[in-house]
Amino acid sequence: MPDVPTILLNDGYGIPQLGFGVFQVPAEDTARVVGEALDAGYRHIDTAWGYMNEAGVGEAVATSDIARGDLFVTTKVWNSFQGRDKTLESFDASMTALGFDYLDLLLIHWPAPENGRYVETWETFVELRDSGRVRSIGVSNFQPDHIGRIIEATGVVPALNQIELHPYFQQRTLRDFHDLHGIVTEAWSPIARGRVADDPTIKSIAAAHERTPAQVTLRWEIQHGIVVIPKTVTPERIIANIDVFDFELGADEMASIDALDDVASGRMGPVPDDFNLA
Ligand code: NAP
C-alpha cells in the first residue's frame, strides 16, 4: 500500500496529503469507484452535497473493512444553503447520506460574496465543530479578504482552503497568505483535468522518471506541501495516481514546473468573487 503522508491541520487533526475526488462521478457508480480507491490505498475522500453522490461514498465506507477512524472524509455546503438554518439542514442531509456519526472536514464550497452569508455560515460551522459532529472546518475558493472577514468575526482560522491549483495556475499569492495564517492549501483539479498529459515539459520529466505526467504533477504538488485530490473513474489511473511516494523530483525539475504558472489566463474554473450559482 502507498505510504501517504499526513499533514497537520491547525486544530491538531491530520489530513492524508493525497485523497480521492469524486466530482462528476455518477451517483450510481460512486460506491464501486470509491470502493476501488479504498482497495488501492486511498484513505481520504473528497465529496460535496452538490456532487449528489454522498450516499455512494457512505455505502463504500460502510461496506469496506477499513475502520472509520482510519478514513478522512470531506463534504461541502453548497451556495444555496448558506446561512445558519440552511447550513444545519445541509449538514444533516449530508450526514444522513454518508451515514456517519461524525465528519472529518466540512467546507464552505464557495464564498458567493453577493449573497452576504458566508460569515454567518462560518459562525454555524464553528458551532458544528464545537458540538463534536465535525472535527475540522474549512473553506473552499476563498480569497484573502473572505478569509480575513471570517477570522475577524469568529477568531477561528479555517483549517484549510481548497482552491483551483495546478501547474498552469499555481496560486502563489494565496499560498503565501495561507502559510502566514497556518491554513493548509488543498488543490482541486490538481492535474488540470488531464491537460498535463499533453504538456511537453511535464512529459519529458515523466519520461526521465518512467512515470506518467499526472504522477509527476501530483508529486510536484506534494513536494510543495499541498494536499491533492485527483479524480478518476479509470481503474488503472486510480492505482497510478496514488503511486507517487517512491520517487522524488529534483530542484531543477521542480523549477521547470514552477515556470509553467500562467497567472493571467491559467485558471480553468470560475472566478470565486463572481461565482454565485444557486
Ligand atoms: P482533476 O482531478 O485535475 O482531473 C480529473 C480528470 O482527469 C478526469 O477527466 C480524469 O478522467 C482525468 N484523469 C485522471 N487521472 C488521470 C491520469 N492519470 N492521466 C490522465 N488523465 C487523468 O480535476 P477535478 O475532477 O476537477 O478535480 C479533482 C477533485 O477536486 C474533484 O473530484 C473534486 O473532489 C474537487 N473539486 C473541487 C472544486 C471546488 O470548487 N471545491 C471544484 C472542482 C473540483 P477519468 O475520470 O475519465 O479517468
Side-chain angles (χ1 to χ4, degrees):
M1 282 290 176
D3 197 6
V4 180
T6 297
I7 299 271
L8 186 65
L9 300 171
N10 62 21
D11 55 19
Y13 287 105
I15 183 170
Q17 194 178 1
L18 186 144
F20 188 72
V22 297
F23 178 44
Q24 292 176 327
V25 177
E28 64 275 17
D29 299 333
T30 303
R32 177 182 51 79
V33 170
V34 172
E36 286 176 29
L38 296 176
D39 288 345
Y42 295 79
R43 293 292 178 267
H44 163 187
I45 311 294
D46 183 84
T47 185
W49 180 90
Y51 300 170
M52 293 180 292
N53 57 21
E54 288 167 312
V57 172
E59 187 185 332
V61 169
T63 53
S64 95
D65 53 12
I66 302 161
R68 175 69 185 88
D70 292 335
L71 292 171
F72 188 101
V73 178
T74 301
T75 196
K76 316 185 188 85
V77 171
W78 187 245
N79 305 347
S80 51
F81 285 92
Q82 287 202 20
R84 186 172 188 279
D85 294 350
K86 286 276 189 190
T87 291
L88 293 174
E89 190 188 315
S90 171
F91 177 70
D92 284 341
S94 291
M95 293 297 271
T96 302
L98 290 163
F100 293 169
D101 54 10
Y102 74 89
L103 182 72
D104 299 278
L105 177 63
L106 185 66
L107 304 180
I108 304 179
H109 207 143
W110 290 87
E114 215 178 280
N115 297 346
R117 288 197 295 265
Y118 66 81
V119 173
E120 182 187 329
T121 304
W122 185 247
E123 288 164 350
T124 312
F125 272 37
V126 174
E127 258 181 64
L128 283 167
R129 187 197 65 175
D130 291 348
S131 77
R133 296 181 75 199
V134 181
R135 288 189 167 173
S136 298
I137 52 175
V139 293
S140 178
N141 300 302
F142 272 46
Q143 302 300 298
D145 60 317
H146 310 132
I147 296 176
R149 280 198 63 201
I150 63 173
I151 295 174
E152 196 185 355
T154 61
V156 178
V157 179
L160 169 157
N161 189 14
Q162 183 184 114
I163 54 173
E164 178 179 349
L165 194 162
H166 44 72
Y168 313 111
F169 198 64
Q170 302 186 11
Q171 300 263 27
R172 291 192 202 165
T173 310
L174 196 46
R175 276 157 62 195
D176 287 347
F177 179 87
H178 291 164
D179 291 346
L180 204 64
H181 289 85
I183 298 166
V184 167
T185 300
E186 182 173 49
W188 64 253
S189 294
I191 53 170
R193 300 193 170 147
R195 186 179 149 191
V196 299
D198 300 317
D199 187 286
T201 302
I202 299 175
K203 273 165 70 176
S204 100
I205 297 171
H209 287 272
E210 299 184 347
R211 296 284 170 154
T212 69
Q215 287 174 318
V216 163
T217 305
L218 294 166
R219 184 72 213 172
W220 167 78
E221 284 147 353
I222 283 159
Q223 287 183 213
H224 272 306
I226 296 163
V227 176
V228 289
I229 44 169
K231 170 266 174 186
T232 177
V233 294
T234 312
E236 31 317 346
R237 290 174 174 172
I238 292 176
I239 292 165
N241 289 352
I242 195 176
D243 184 17
V244 294
F245 297 100
D246 58 354
F247 73 105
E248 197 160 342
L249 301 178
D252 52 337
E253 294 170 325
M254 291 293 286
S256 310
I257 304 178
D258 288 345
L260 299 176
D261 197 11
D262 179 1
V263 178
S265 53
R267 191 194 286 279
M268 299 173 85
V271 176
D273 263 304
D274 303 338
F275 186 71
N276 199 21
L277 196 68

